[in-house]
Amino acid sequence: INAQAHLGHVQEFLLADSLARWYTSLGYCVTLQSGTDDNSFKNIKAAELENSDLKEFIKQKQFQYLDLLKKLN
């Protein structure tokens, strides 16, 4: 989550959700888990470039991704 959410993320989320729904329809017990790599070196560097505290930077970006996921339902 070292940058703004973009179309590539939308594609990734939709494909993962489609696969989860497909396997559920076949009778499999499916758990779709997604998350952020909060300890990524890229996050540390991105926060430094914005002169931002890492925890605040992560929190701000997480809300952007959660908002995107809500819009995608």
Side-chain angles (χ1 to χ4, degrees):
I1 62 171
N2 58 322
Q4 298 280 41
H6 54 75
L7 188 57
H9 295 109
V10 172
Q11 179 184 18
E12 179 182 336
F13 295 140
L14 291 178
L15 290 173
D17 184 59
S18 296
L19 282 172
R21 290 173 190 256
W22 170 254
Y23 280 101
T24 299
S25 75
L26 295 176
Y28 290 92
C29 180
V30 175
T31 302
L32 176 60
Q33 180 176 343
S34 181
T36 57
D37 185 4
D38 296 357
N39 296 313
S40 166
F41 184 67
K42 287 183 175 183
N43 292 341
I44 296 169
K45 296 306 280 181
E48 287 175 356
L49 286 173
E50 290 188 11
N51 292 323
S52 179
D53 175 64
L54 181 59
K55 287 184 181 182
E56 288 301 315
F57 178 82
I58 298 291
K59 187 183 292 186
Q60 176 189 13
K61 298 296 182 191
Q62 283 176 332
F63 286 124
Q64 293 172 1
Y65 281 79
L66 288 172
D67 185 48
L68 172 63
L69 290 173
K70 286 179 187 174
K71 289 176 182 175
L72 294 174
N73 192 20

